[in-house]
Amino acid sequence: MNDDLERQFERLLRNPLTRRSILQRGAAGALSASALAYLAACGTDEPEGGGNESEEAKTIPKGKIGDSLYVANWPLYIEEDRGTLKEFQEEYDGKPKVKYVEEVNDNTEFFGKVRQQYAQGQSGGRDIHVVTDWMAARMIRLGYVQKFDKSTMPNANANLIERLKSPPFDPQREYSMPWQSGIAGIIYRKDKVKREPKSVDDLFDPDYKGKVTMLTEMRDTVGVVAASLGHDPEKASVDEFMEAIDKIGEGADSGQIRGFTGNEYTKDITKGDSWVIIGWSGDAVQLQADDPNIQFVIPETGGHLWTDNMQIPVGAPEPFTAEKFIDFVYRPEVQADIAEYVNYICPVKGVKEILVKRDPEFFDNQLIFPDEAFLEDTFIFRGLKPEEEQELDDAFQKVIGA
């Protein structure tokens, strides 16, 4: 890109309307459609070639706890007093000193920030970063992250919930471990709809024309609609995803879908401007607290289960210490404090029992502690090749008017 385009690119990356920059305890926004459209227009932001393949193939060697640990995470994703970090330091007699930086405001923005360092086998000092499934898949594909020595992570091995153990992009969880998860499904106004909208077809019911919104996050919206057409988003072809985009486009053209939104849908459904939407489970937890008419349901054909994942980048100064931190937060008593604050789906077994004792009414909730039967109705959107991602993003951006 020339200098003018490069400046425009950087300006868009600083756009504050990103998915998590307006996150408030379980709420999530979205990268602005204009920014995504621009990225698509400029071509894939993935560099040719990859990282250091020899480092990718190596398992992190055993070592000693270091004097420092640098964790790059999303905003508001740990307790306000960061007690977990203090407990980790106490576990090892006051070290390591943990540098916890809330610098991941959006997956694409973060990738743009680190890609040159990572491609050169440097982590910029980071020992752990946290990114969403599709970006975690990209990091693995490019050789930008290291392979765990699972023998040093007994808590993580034992306590990860079953549904998250084998995602398509990392079937053995050799390069990623969940931090927190959520589901894209149907949020609806119980006082406005004719029946519980268990089917995605309800979003296209003429009685709800102009009262439907969908998400600007491509994987959430396209995945949910593709599943309703009988396609498995964990394996679907580009043509099958395009079939879903075509259906979404028809809904937009007819006025059935009033718009595509990020987190602002919470205001629309609260006011009654929308009645039935594709939205995030984390938002539903918060919305229900204020209005019991607002409900969440996983479509009968499946909801999109997404996860933000911890990874250890190539060149991390303290990879062994990073492994031990990941294992530390998989202790149920440690994870309980994190889960109590963030209100997302907790990936650690045994936490529900701890928190139900603290507050049985609030924490006995399938949207925070789903059982295996509940999660059976979810899918994890498959990893896309760069050219596939480009094709789907281009088509989706046209549909949503970006």
Side-chain angles (χ1 to χ4, degrees):
M1 290 186 287
N2 61 32
D3 290 344
D4 288 341
L5 286 176
E6 187 69 41
R7 283 193 292 272
Q8 175 74 346
F9 178 79
E10 293 297 330
R11 182 187 68 79
L12 288 169
L13 289 184
R14 292 194 297 270
N15 190 324
L17 297 178
T18 55
R19 175 171 181 172
R20 298 295 177 80
S21 64
I22 54 175
L23 179 150
Q24 291 293 333
R25 293 191 53 148
L31 179 64
S32 67
S34 60
L36 283 173
Y38 181 79
L39 291 173
C42 290
T44 179
D45 61 351
E46 186 167 316
E48 296 180 3
N52 188 319
E53 294 183 3
S54 62
E55 285 207 30
E56 177 193 10
K58 291 181 180 179
T59 298
I60 294 170
K62 291 181 173 64
K64 298 180 179 179
I65 296 296
D67 293 326
S68 64
L69 180 72
Y70 181 163
V71 180
N73 208 343
W74 301 84
L76 301 176
Y77 234 9
I78 199 168
E79 324 95 286
E80 284 186 274
D81 65 1
R82 299 187 178 180
T84 294
L85 308 182
K86 298 171 187 175
E87 291 174 14
F88 182 64
Q89 289 177 302
E90 292 170 2
E91 179 83 5
Y92 296 100
D93 300 322
K95 69 174 187 178
K97 182 178 180 181
V98 181
K99 179 181 180 181
Y100 183 93
V101 184
E102 295 179 330
E103 62 174 320
V104 190
N105 289 303
D106 172 81
N107 288 288
T108 302
E109 176 186 8
F110 182 71
F111 182 74
K113 179 178 180 179
V114 303
R115 60 179 176 172
Q116 290 186 348
Q117 293 174 325
Y118 284 15
Q120 295 169 2
Q122 301 171 4
S123 74
R126 300 173 188 85
D127 297 300
I128 295 172
H129 66 231
V130 180
V131 293
T132 310
D133 291 325
W134 64 273
M135 183 57 72
R138 180 184 291 183
M139 294 288 190
I140 294 169
R141 184 171 66 244
L142 292 174
Y144 288 174
V145 292
Q146 300 187 56
K147 186 176 181 180
F148 299 144
D149 176 359
K150 300 295 283 291
S151 71
T152 69
M153 305 166 69
N155 296 307
N157 294 334
N159 297 330
L160 177 61
I161 62 176
E162 291 298 322
R163 186 63 181 88
L164 298 179
K165 281 188 174 180
S166 186
F169 65 90
D170 189 11
Q172 304 301 317
R173 284 292 183 191
E174 296 178 302
Y175 300 93
S176 64
M177 283 296 292
W179 178 260
Q180 301 288 304
S181 296
I183 300 171
I186 298 174
I187 301 178
Y188 65 97
R189 284 284 297 262
K190 187 170 62 174
D191 57 335
K192 300 290 187 180
V193 298
K194 298 179 293 186
R195 59 184 177 273
E196 183 181 31
K198 296 181 180 179
S199 171
V200 173
D201 289 339
D202 287 317
L203 294 163
F204 297 92
D205 186 325
D207 287 349
Y208 303 144
K209 184 174 182 179
K211 298 296 184 180
V212 175
T213 65
M214 296 185 181
L215 294 167
T216 53
E217 291 276 357
M218 185 272 288
R219 287 164 178 80
D220 290 323
T221 293
V222 175
V224 167
V225 176
S228 76
L229 296 173
H231 307 312
D232 180 358
E234 297 195 0
K235 302 175 182 177
S237 68
V238 169
D239 286 344
E240 289 171 333
F241 285 131
M242 290 296 290
E243 183 182 342
I245 292 175
D246 288 343
K247 182 171 183 177
I248 295 164
E250 291 171 3
D253 290 343
S254 70
Q256 178 72 22
I257 302 171
R258 68 188 301 265
F260 297 85
T261 73
N263 178 248
E264 61 268 28
Y265 72 75
T266 59
K267 296 179 181 178
D268 292 341
I269 199 163
T270 299
K271 292 188 298 182
D273 291 339
S274 57
W275 297 352
V276 55
I277 69 177
I278 295 178
W280 292 299
S281 58
D283 287 336
V285 173
Q286 301 300 318
L287 293 170
Q288 287 171 352
D290 296 326
D291 186 347
N293 279 313
I294 297 176
Q295 299 289 314
F296 178 88
V297 63
I298 296 178
E300 57 193 6
T301 49
H304 180 210
L305 176 64
W306 54 265
T307 300
D308 288 335
N309 303 273
M310 294 177 281
Q311 296 183 302
I312 300 174
V314 294
E318 299 290 351
F320 178 76
T321 304
E323 283 184 324
K324 299 308 289 184
F325 177 79
I326 293 171
D327 195 58
F328 182 75
V329 299
Y330 269 77
R331 296 181 186 179
E333 66 275 14
V334 173
Q335 181 68 206
D337 292 334
I338 299 173
E340 184 176 18
Y341 178 74
V342 301
N343 299 339
Y344 278 99
I345 292 176
C346 177
V348 181
K349 296 177 184 176
V351 174
K352 178 178 179 179
E353 291 75 9
I354 294 172
L355 291 183
V356 165
K357 290 179 181 178
R358 298 183 189 178
D359 189 343
E361 289 188 9
F362 185 75
F363 288 108
D364 191 11
N365 188 320
Q366 288 277 19
L367 297 184
I368 302 174
F369 298 107
D371 57 31
E372 291 304 313
F374 190 81
L375 290 179
E376 279 297 316
D377 293 328
T378 63
F379 59 82
I380 298 173
F381 200 102
R382 75 169 176 88
L384 297 172
K385 296 177 181 178
E387 62 272 15
E388 293 177 327
E389 186 171 349
Q390 187 69 59
E391 184 176 353
L392 292 176
D393 276 341
D394 285 347
F396 186 63
Q397 295 308 309
K398 290 177 183 177
V399 163
I400 69 176

